[in-house]
Amino acid sequence: MVDVKDALLSVLPTIRLPRAGDRVHKDECAFSFHTPESDGGLYICMNTFLGFGRPYVEKHYNKTGQRAFLHLKRTPKPKSDDSSSNTGDPPRKKPTRLAIGMEGGFDMCDEQCEYEEELKLVILPEFLEIQRDGLLELPEMVRDRVSSAIDAILAADSASRKQEIQAWDGEVRQVSKHAFSLQQLEGAPRIPPCGWKCSVCDLRENLWLNMTDGAILCGRRYFDGSGGNNHAVQHYRETGYPMAVKLGTITPDGADVYSYDEDDMVLDPNLAEHLAHFGIDMMKMQKTDKTMTELEIDMNQRIGEWELIQESGVQLQPLYGSGYTGIRNLGNSCYLNSTMQVVFSIPAFLRKYVERMDQIFHKAPTDPTQDFSTQVAKLGHGLLSGEYSKPATEKEGEEQKGIQDGIAPRMFKSLIGKGHPEFSTNRQQDAQEFFLHFINMVERNCRSSSNPNEVFRFLVEEKIKCLVSQKVKYTQRVEYILQLPVPMEAALNKEELAAYEQARQQAEQDHRPPPELVRARIPFTSCLEAFAAPEQLDEFWSTAVQAKSTALKTSRFASFPDYLVIQIKKFTFGLDWVPKKLDVSIDVPDELDLSQFRGGGLQGDEEELPDVAPPLVTPDEPKGSLGFYGNDDDDSYCSPHFSSPTSPMLDESVVTQLVEMGFPAEACRKAVYYTGNSGAEAAMTWVMSHMDDPDFAHPLVLSGVSAPPSVPTGGDPPSEEHIATIISMGFSQEQAVKALRSTNNSLERAVDWIFSHIDDLDAEAAMDLSEGRSAAESVSESLPAAGPRVKDGNGRYELFAFISHMGTSTMCGHYVCHIKKDGRWVIYNDQKVCASEKPPKDLGYIYFYQRVQS
């Protein structure tokens, strides 16, 4: 029998109190989705503060020797039923807030619960259990030390609490930068308390008072035709007066205030004073018009996508088991949930992460919560094991609706969003952008091993034909998504759309409810034809005639991937640059043959344009609609003269844009440099005015640019945790240390640095091997060959998944996905997983096709 006192004395030196900066993982296992509410509870290491479910606590002990754990078990308290309503699903409450997962917001099935907590100290390997009151019999020094550690762990904010994604609240607004410095013109008009109308078009609704000069003008026209005639925003463009308040929303509690300069709804702490300038007493005003929040809620519900995409009108059969696990919405994470459900229905990702889970966990660094491969494997296993695919029986009536307990991937979301300007925030995000971000993270972490991204990767062949010389230029670029435009002019129901628009305008004039929505029906073939149609370049620099000319650019497939991802470009900008979503129905086919769109390269009767400038080098990185996702230092178009840290960084997107128009690459670099990275328009002006320079296409050489300094050796030593993280990506310890020392010990910057200096590192590694150094001290010999690796095959595909978006903007609304499994369609709506009855294929946003084998 192990003596409790002796056991505690033996582990006492390893027990410590959390310090500032320590992450206390007390509500989720580092390797699974076990929580204190799970069977067996959670074991929290009292030295590293990592949490472990029962299957992993012994492995942590065997790997680290840590023996002392705080065991935390929570049991839900029974809820008292205060309702006297009939059995069945509760009536759905109408949203009153533009929010998800908050009281009054859009429905999110995840509510708070009260728990009874059970604590005990557990010492391994014997699993000796010591109840909290059992500590009273121990010597005072031991009792105080252990009790203080337990209290500190319980009092500390958990890591997930610190990083937790709170419920998305679209009503949170920031104080305007103009609030305390707004200039108001003298002699401003006195504004009456009612009876307002637009001074340009006589509209009497959706009116905005400019708070500089007192002009009353109508607001923006919305994507569905409602709203105003854009006169208020036009007034801002003409005058630069930045702030306006929506008349009819002014109350003693505030009003809708918009900052055109900041392009957002804002707060104005001096609103009462600013309104008094126009004779408006804020304390006497009453609400007479809908706020922008109310209009957004109405718009989200009126567009009709919510019911159709969620299949709300049909009693769906819940599904449970392996591959049918729901994901909890962490407040705004439906974009992540939908994307990862699809990713882990692809065999390459199962083989990479789920089937190799034990090896990945065994090689995990000291802190597995910060290891990408570990957290991806954990997520994949959580989705596919079936262990967490169980009905949420605690919630009355929820089981019939198909709600599961599911998994809550807090660690994964925190890690993949770390350091990213968007995915680290609490805001809703674009599923397409997140997919590309995830792909980029996989690229970074698969240098020395198999890369599942290869199933998505394909080459696009671009042909540019100079119409003056009739000569051509062929280039290729790597893509992971095929973006298809939506040609609205190809709608099959133009007459019906015109009748609907007329009826909608009439209903608006008569103050009646709008008619039932009519969507434009666009043939999928028209989208493909729009992608393949030649694009005219009017400002093309022809190397054949050494002057500007007109050219045609056409795009074709240079290879066909195993899995083709297609994004329908529904989100666009109107003529007034107001973001809008195209509400369209597209007859996306179940089977797709793209063979006719394969490129053939240079033809026998074609003559190439002279290659005056160096050829384009396409980085092996995912590229989306906003440019390359990856490190900022890896500028494929930058001359070697720019490799020094003291040299300026060039805007790669502008350089790329100019090069694709046919101008010499070196001239494009100079244009961007000499215009101070101030944008494409300024760079284009420079190019136009310097085309006759004798050194127009010569490389840019800067005087006074010194050679790159050597790697700093002073300062604090790099963090062991950061070194382990970089080593887990396939680099050696020496390279990890070099990267961290070169970036002031910043992990995020070190990762960017190591990838931007990859050629130098590979050369050093080869030299190390030739000098007899072991492979363990250098980059693995299994590194893939330089350049993009793509698979190719026939161009015939079958649809197996699609992600749909509900709402008017990617920054709000909701995402769900449909996946074809075992011959049937399944809808994944966060924690709700059901057999689909009417998969809305025509309303999808991102489509996933798999190759049909011959």
Side-chain angles (χ1 to χ4, degrees):
M1 185 72 178
V2 180
D3 183 78
V4 171
K5 179 180 176 182
D6 291 343
L8 266 178
L9 288 173
S10 67
V11 301
L12 196 62
T14 67
I15 295 176
R16 65 186 187 92
L17 276 65
R19 298 188 296 266
D22 282 335
R23 290 188 291 263
V24 181
H25 298 276
K26 61 182 180 180
D27 46 16
E28 184 181 345
C29 173
F31 295 106
S32 71
F33 291 97
H34 284 82
T35 68
E37 296 83 52
S38 303
D39 293 340
L42 195 69
Y43 295 82
I44 304 158
C45 177
M46 299 186 72
N47 182 270
T48 64
F49 309 116
L50 293 169
F52 302 96
R54 182 63 174 83
Y56 295 101
V57 65
E58 284 185 280
K59 294 181 179 180
H60 180 68
Y61 159 71
N62 292 330
K63 187 173 183 178
T64 66
Q66 297 298 333
R67 299 176 58 202
F69 295 84
L70 176 63
H71 183 256
L72 184 59
K73 180 75 175 75
R74 294 196 190 107
T75 305
K77 291 181 179 180
K79 291 184 178 180
S80 58
D81 187 6
D82 297 330
S83 66
S84 57
S85 60
N86 296 328
T87 59
D89 294 343
R92 181 182 300 177
K93 295 181 180 178
K94 183 177 180 180
T96 56
R97 288 183 62 79
L98 186 62
I100 297 174
M102 301 184 68
E103 181 65 29
F106 286 94
D107 184 38
M108 189 189 78
C109 303
D110 190 17
E111 57 189 57
Q112 299 297 319
C113 184
E114 294 184 358
Y115 295 94
E116 293 179 353
E117 206 163 67
E118 196 180 325
L119 293 172
K120 54 190 173 188
L121 190 65
V122 177
I123 300 178
L124 267 63
E126 302 87 355
F127 279 89
L128 177 65
E129 298 182 356
I130 306 171
Q131 302 294 334
R132 185 74 183 267
D133 54 11
L135 297 175
L136 299 175
E137 304 173 3
L138 298 173
E140 183 177 355
M141 180 192 72
V142 177
R143 182 178 67 245
D144 291 349
R145 169 86 174 180
V146 175
S147 295
S148 297
I150 292 175
D151 290 340
I153 290 174
L154 295 176
D157 283 337
S158 69
S160 65
R161 174 68 63 183
K162 287 182 178 180
Q163 304 162 355
E164 187 175 20
I165 306 303
Q166 303 296 334
W168 174 76
D169 187 353
E171 298 179 34
V172 173
R173 297 171 183 173
Q174 304 299 318
V175 174
S176 172
K177 65 181 181 182
H178 302 289
F180 300 101
S181 58
L182 183 69
Q183 298 295 317
Q184 294 187 288
L185 302 182
E186 296 297 330
R190 309 293 287 180
I191 306 300
C194 59
W196 313 294
K197 68 179 181 67
C198 176
S199 60
V200 177
C201 66
D202 292 339
L203 277 181
R204 296 182 177 273
E205 293 180 346
N206 190 19
L207 300 176
W208 294 78
L209 170 70
N210 189 289
M211 288 197 285
T212 296
D213 63 359
I216 297 177
L217 298 155
C218 61
R220 287 185 168 103
R221 179 173 295 276
Y222 307 134
F223 79 99
D224 66 343
S226 61
N229 293 318
N230 302 315
H231 290 138
V233 69
Q234 289 175 10
H235 183 68
Y236 160 69
R237 290 171 184 156
E238 294 168 359
T239 63
Y241 300 155
M243 290 175 64
V245 59
K246 187 175 185 183
L247 295 172
T249 69
I250 303 171
T251 70
D253 297 323
D256 273 356
V257 178
Y258 191 83
S259 170
Y260 294 104
D261 181 38
E262 297 161 280
D263 195 23
D264 206 353
M265 302 296 297
V266 295
L267 296 177
D268 178 10
N270 293 333
L271 181 60
E273 177 185 336
H274 290 152
L275 291 175
H277 182 77
F278 304 104
I280 299 175
D281 186 346
M282 182 172 158
M283 303 307 294
K284 296 180 180 179
M285 298 296 289
Q286 294 183 348
K287 182 174 175 294
T288 60
D289 198 359
K290 287 186 176 182
T291 64
M292 298 306 293
T293 295
E294 292 169 331
L295 288 172
E296 179 73 14
I297 291 172
D298 288 348
M299 190 81 70
N300 281 337
Q301 293 182 309
R302 187 171 70 245
I303 61 176
E305 288 178 324
W306 293 78
E307 300 296 322
L308 289 174
I309 291 177
Q310 295 187 104
E311 302 187 54
S312 302
V314 183
Q315 186 67 37
L316 301 179
Q317 174 194 354
L319 298 176
Y320 304 100
S322 175
Y324 299 108
T325 303
I327 305 180
R328 296 186 190 181
N329 193 318
L330 303 178
N332 68 346
S333 62
C334 54
Y335 67 92
L336 178 151
N337 298 353
S338 298
T339 302
M340 298 314 297
Q341 289 282 14
V342 175
V343 165
F344 276 108
S345 66
I346 296 175
F349 287 87
L350 273 61
R351 291 192 295 268
K352 173 69 178 181
Y353 295 106
V354 181
E355 294 178 6
R356 296 182 60 254
M357 183 182 71
D358 290 341
Q359 297 170 259
I360 292 172
F361 286 0
H362 180 71
K363 295 179 180 179
T366 307
D367 186 356
T369 68
Q370 300 302 299
D371 181 61
F372 179 79
S373 294
T374 297
Q375 293 308 313
V376 176
K378 168 183 168 181
L379 175 61
H381 179 263
L383 291 175
L384 298 171
S385 67
E387 185 177 349
Y388 309 98
S389 180
K390 300 174 183 177
T393 53
E394 303 155 3
K395 300 174 185 178
E396 188 69 27
E398 295 287 16
E399 183 175 353
Q400 290 80 4
K401 296 170 65 178
I403 301 299
Q404 302 183 7
D405 282 334
I407 60 175
R410 294 185 179 90
M411 285 183 187
F412 172 78
K413 188 178 189 309
S414 172
L415 180 62
I416 198 168
K418 188 175 181 180
H420 192 280
E422 293 299 331
F423 301 122
S424 61
T425 69
N426 301 341
R427 297 186 292 270
Q428 179 67 282
Q429 302 298 336
D430 186 342
Q432 178 255 4
E433 292 184 7
F434 176 76
F435 172 76
L436 288 175
H437 174 65
F438 174 75
I439 290 296
N440 188 44
M441 294 293 289
V442 173
E443 290 288 340
R444 291 185 173 196
N445 286 274
C446 288
R447 280 198 74 243
S448 57
S449 59
S450 61
N451 189 339
N453 282 347
E454 290 180 8
V455 301
F456 296 127
R457 195 183 298 151
F458 63 98
L459 294 175
V460 172
E461 173 190 282
E462 280 195 351
K463 169 186 171 182
I464 298 180
K465 181 177 182 179
C466 171
L467 297 183
V468 174
S469 66
Q470 298 299 306
K471 296 182 179 181
V472 299
K473 175 182 179 182
Y474 283 88
T475 58
Q476 291 184 350
R477 69 173 188 270
V478 177
E479 292 286 5
Y480 292 78
I481 282 186
L482 174 64
Q483 295 181 309
L484 293 185
V486 180
M488 296 298 292
E489 66 277 4
L492 300 175
N493 55 339
K494 293 179 181 177
E495 293 183 3
E496 191 178 357
L497 288 169
Y500 162 75
E501 178 61 20
Q502 184 177 0
R504 188 200 58 77
Q505 292 180 3
Q506 188 62 48
E508 186 177 291
Q509 293 177 7
D510 299 341
H511 302 286
R512 292 185 287 104
E516 185 177 350
L517 179 68
V518 175
R519 286 189 177 84
R521 299 200 311 273
I522 310 294
F524 183 77
T525 53
S526 297
C527 299
L528 281 176
E529 290 167 0
F531 157 75
E535 176 188 353
Q536 182 166 310
L537 306 177
D538 294 324
E539 297 291 336
F540 176 73
W541 172 264
S542 174
T543 56
V545 298
Q546 287 295 299
K548 286 192 299 180
S549 77
T550 302
L552 290 181
K553 181 174 74 173
T554 55
S555 298
R556 293 292 185 270
F557 288 91
S559 69
F560 287 118
D562 290 347
Y563 287 81
L564 179 64
V565 185
I566 297 178
Q567 177 201 11
I568 303 297
K569 297 175 69 174
K570 289 187 172 184
F571 297 98
T572 182
F573 291 91
L575 296 177
D576 54 359
W577 291 100
V578 177
K580 65 177 182 177
K581 177 181 177 181
L582 302 177
D583 196 357
V584 294
S585 170
I586 300 177
D587 60 338
V588 176
D590 288 324
E591 296 182 355
L592 182 62
D593 190 347
L594 298 174
S595 302
Q596 61 178 312
F597 297 104
R598 182 186 284 274
L602 186 69
Q603 301 300 302
D605 59 346
E606 292 179 334
E607 185 178 351
E608 284 189 281
L609 283 163
D611 193 9
V612 176
L616 282 179
V617 180
T618 304
D620 189 9
E621 293 282 356
K623 182 182 179 186
S625 58
L626 301 181
F628 288 101
Y629 288 79
N631 65 78
D632 294 330
D633 297 328
D634 186 12
D635 191 337
S636 302
Y637 296 115
C638 280
S639 163
H641 298 288
F642 287 79
S643 61
S644 167
T646 60
S647 301
M649 294 301 300
L650 299 186
D651 187 334
E652 180 186 60
S653 63
V654 176
V655 177
T656 304
Q657 187 175 342
L658 295 177
V659 170
E660 288 182 346
M661 295 175 66
F663 296 107
E666 294 294 344
C668 299
R669 297 185 189 108
K670 288 196 286 188
V672 174
Y673 170 70
Y674 286 120
T675 56
N677 283 327
S678 55
E681 185 174 348
M684 174 63 75
T685 302
W686 188 95
V687 167
M688 293 293 105
S689 60
H690 289 79
M691 269 198 277
D692 296 328
D693 292 356
D695 62 346
F696 178 65
H698 293 181
L700 170 62
V701 179
L702 302 177
S703 59
V705 176
S706 59
S710 59
V711 176
T713 57
D716 297 332
S719 160
E720 290 296 329
E721 178 184 332
H722 290 173
I723 293 174
T725 299
I726 296 177
I727 290 176
S728 70
M729 298 180 183
F731 297 96
S732 68
Q733 179 166 353
E734 181 182 349
Q735 291 166 336
V737 170
K738 185 174 182 179
L740 289 165
R741 287 191 180 279
S742 299
T743 55
N744 228 6
N745 293 332
S746 166
L747 177 60
E748 289 76 17
R749 290 175 55 208
V751 171
D752 284 344
W753 184 93
I754 206 166
F755 277 94
S756 64
H757 293 76
I758 207 163
D759 293 336
D760 296 337
L761 294 175
D762 287 346
E764 289 177 11
M767 185 178 297
D768 292 339
L769 289 172
S770 67
E771 293 174 356
R773 299 183 62 176
S774 67
E777 294 175 331
S778 59
V779 180
S780 169
E781 294 182 59
S782 60
L783 290 177
R789 297 177 58 180
V790 297
K791 298 183 178 182
D792 196 8
N794 69 70
R796 293 168 45 238
Y797 293 93
E798 180 182 5
L799 182 68
F800 81 96
F802 61 96
I803 295 174
S804 306
H805 173 267
M806 298 165 281
T808 58
S809 166
T810 55
M811 297 298 103
C812 65
H814 186 55
Y815 287 95
V816 305
C817 71
H818 287 72
I819 306 174
K820 196 172 187 179
K821 290 191 175 182
D822 301 323
R824 65 181 173 187
W825 283 97
V826 179
I827 178 173
Y828 293 81
N829 186 0
D830 290 336
Q831 286 172 263
K832 184 176 181 179
V833 181
C834 299
S836 173
E837 294 291 335
K838 297 178 180 179
K841 301 174 191 176
D842 61 320
L843 299 179
Y845 175 47
I846 307 174
Y847 294 88
F848 295 80
Y849 282 86
Q850 59 186 344
R851 193 198 315 279
V852 176
Q853 299 300 329
S854 300

